[in-house]
Amino acid sequence: MNIRDRHPDCDSVIALCRPGFEAECSGELVAALGTARTRSPKPARNTGLVRVGLLNLHAFDELDRGIRLSRLTFSRQLCFGLGEVAELPERDRVTPLLEAARAAATPFSAILPEAADSAAGRPLSGLARRLVAPLEREFTKANLLRPKRLALPRLHIVFAAPGTAWLGLSTADNGARWPMGIPRLRMPSGAPSRSTLKLAEAFLSLLDPDELDQRLRPGQRAVDLGAAPGGWTWQLAQRGLRVTAIDNGPMAGSVLATGMVEHVRADGFTWRPQHAVDWMVCDMVEQPGRIAALVAEWVASGRCRQSIFNLKLPMKKRLDEVLRCQEIIHQRMRRSSIGFELRLRQLYHDREEITGYLAQTR
Ligand SMILES: C[S@@+](CC[C@H](N)C(=O)[O-])C[C@H]1O[C@@H](n2cnc3c(N)ncnc32)[C@H](O)[C@@H]1O
């Protein structure tokens, strides 16, 4: 490992993603880093694991400033690689990992053993979980773990195989809040469909806790386009929002029984509210470009202040399609005088799709 002083140098960028989306994840990282700085062999498919090699070593601080997880769509977790530790003995993996981590010449605020969420990665995530306690114990003994000093980097130990781990660093504000970037959400008993978890995850992943407190409040009004059977509507109603649910299909009785929901049978592309609302959410199965244009129109025209929406991706050229949708939204928003922020993310509960958050900022 090549580590200098208190500003460790990094040889790679490591990301976890949904298995099958390695090319998109890697493509996005290479674009953010600049092709001249990377040597990036094609990532192995269905591994859920991406490592983009850097041609030269880069200071951790510089990478952390330049590559932000919140601006990436396909990375669930992100860290900057310090090197690989191979041939970890089965009887004691902790000692060689600790010795390798010393080379970073810094204590850590957290130790995060991780693995990909793929067929090959699943047994490794069991191993990673079992190592949490022994790693924390030994790092604490060695004075290398200071959980209260949140400004210190977090150490990621990403298992690529039972005997091989990649070490990486992240800062708490530039990494997922959940191990492996996966928030574990329990299916609420009253919800009519599992897709309620998608909106629950979107609120947690696309907004930080302070934003969520300020921007999603009981008493607000929301519109849900493509609402049936009502998982998203139920999620909003549970949070105290009054919801107009637009869908020609039937809404589940449990959702209507909340007393917070008005069901309107109409086309989500042409229906408009009489008064501006706080939120518009949209889960209609349609071409992503059409959804992007519709959402931008609602926010740019002030019909809603903010929106969460799902974009179903095509089978091929998925990254291109995401860039195209981004461009559609940027163009429409720039034509209005409204400031905005756009975040796009492939959530754990997303399959061949991504979820977006578009909000007015003034
Ligand atoms: C994936 S489902 C939505 C699931 C919903 N979010 C939930 O949590 O239960 C898509 C819905 O969009 C509706 N839909 C598709 N095109 C529509 C349109 N043009 N106008 C209104 N609804 C539409 C379909 O009827 C379908 O119920």
Side-chain angles (χ1 to χ4, degrees):
M1 265 189 237
N2 295 280
I3 313 291
R4 268 192 291 135
D5 283 330
R6 303 192 67 79
H7 296 283
D9 282 346
C10 299
D11 64 1
S12 55
V13 180
I14 299 168
L16 300 178
C17 67
R18 182 176 183 82
F21 285 80
E22 297 78 12
E24 287 74 14
C25 179
S26 155
E28 213 177 20
L29 288 171
V30 170
L33 287 156
T35 40
R37 293 208 292 175
T38 56
R39 55 181 164 74
S40 172
K42 250 183 148 189
R45 210 172 135 67
N46 291 326
T47 55
L49 199 55
V50 166
R51 180 160 66 155
V52 176
L54 299 170
L55 280 176
N56 300 305
L57 294 175
H58 285 269
F60 165 64
D61 301 357
E62 177 210 322
L63 288 169
D64 182 55
R65 275 194 303 275
I67 311 290
R68 305 298 294 173
L69 182 62
S70 59
R71 287 192 219 125
L72 299 169
T73 301
F74 292 99
S75 296
R76 278 180 190 167
Q77 180 63 294
L78 180 72
C79 65
F80 302 106
L82 296 172
E84 179 175 297
V85 191
E87 294 175 24
L88 292 166
E90 217 174 291
R91 64 192 147 67
D92 176 18
R93 294 180 175 90
V94 174
T95 307
L97 287 170
L98 189 134
E99 287 314 312
R102 279 186 199 284
T106 171
F108 310 102
S109 60
I111 313 293
L112 306 172
E114 296 180 308
D117 176 41
S118 60
R122 246 156 255 140
L124 298 175
S125 56
L127 168 67
R129 267 197 304 279
R130 287 196 298 283
L131 285 178
V132 171
L135 281 165
E136 286 184 351
R137 194 173 55 236
E138 294 307 314
F139 274 70
T140 303
K141 262 197 230 161
N143 218 10
L144 284 176
L145 178 58
R146 318 248 179 94
K148 288 193 181 137
R149 292 192 42 202
L150 296 179
L152 289 171
R154 317 187 300 173
L155 177 70
H156 296 253
I157 302 172
V158 183
F159 283 93
T164 306
W166 301 338
L167 299 193
L169 299 178
S170 73
T171 47
D173 72 345
N174 194 22
R177 278 176 279 151
W178 307 277
M180 305 179 355
I182 301 176
R184 302 277 168 196
L185 302 176
R186 269 200 308 161
M187 176 66 189
S189 56
S193 69
R194 280 195 68 75
S195 64
T196 198
L197 294 177
K198 209 183 287 181
L199 188 57
E201 185 187 351
F203 284 136
L204 287 177
S205 297
L206 293 168
L207 287 90
D208 70 33
D210 287 344
E211 289 172 337
L212 195 58
D213 257 11
Q214 287 159 18
R215 302 184 190 181
L216 183 70
R217 291 195 306 271
Q220 289 182 326
R221 299 201 82 91
V223 169
D224 184 354
L225 301 178
W232 286 29
T233 294
W234 185 89
Q235 188 62 231
L236 293 163
Q238 285 304 303
R239 292 168 185 266
L241 281 80
R242 298 201 160 273
V243 190
T244 307
I246 310 297
D247 204 306
N248 279 313
M251 295 292 287
S254 59
V255 177
L256 299 175
T258 59
M260 306 290 278
V261 178
E262 180 195 7
H263 179 198
V264 178
R265 290 180 191 273
D267 180 353
F269 281 96
T270 51
W271 184 89
R272 299 286 182 266
Q274 284 183 348
H275 303 287
V277 294
D278 302 287
W279 285 88
M280 183 272 272
V281 298
C282 176
D283 193 21
M284 292 189 287
V285 181
E286 248 297 342
Q287 288 174 21
R290 271 196 89 190
I291 302 289
L294 180 72
V295 167
E297 183 55 34
W298 273 67
V299 178
S301 63
R303 284 194 185 92
C304 67
R305 283 192 62 78
Q306 47 205 336
S307 174
I308 284 182
F309 53 97
N310 198 262
L311 299 177
K312 319 286 172 194
L313 295 179
M315 293 296 286
K316 289 190 179 155
K317 303 208 166 193
R318 299 183 289 203
L319 189 50
D320 289 349
E321 190 62 31
V322 173
L323 296 176
R324 198 173 76 85
C325 290
Q326 253 170 356
E327 190 49 33
I328 289 172
I329 294 174
H330 278 256
Q331 273 191 13
R332 177 63 189 95
M333 293 307 300
R334 272 191 237 114
R335 275 196 282 122
S336 72
S337 54
I338 292 174
F340 69 99
E341 57 190 323
L342 172 65
R343 301 169 191 170
L344 296 173
R345 162 72 47 108
Q346 187 171 43
L347 305 175
Y348 172 66
H349 291 94
D350 280 334
R351 293 167 186 263
E352 304 290 310
E353 57 202 338
I354 60 169
T355 301
Y357 171 68
L358 177 65
Q360 294 180 352
T361 52
R362 62 182 138 81

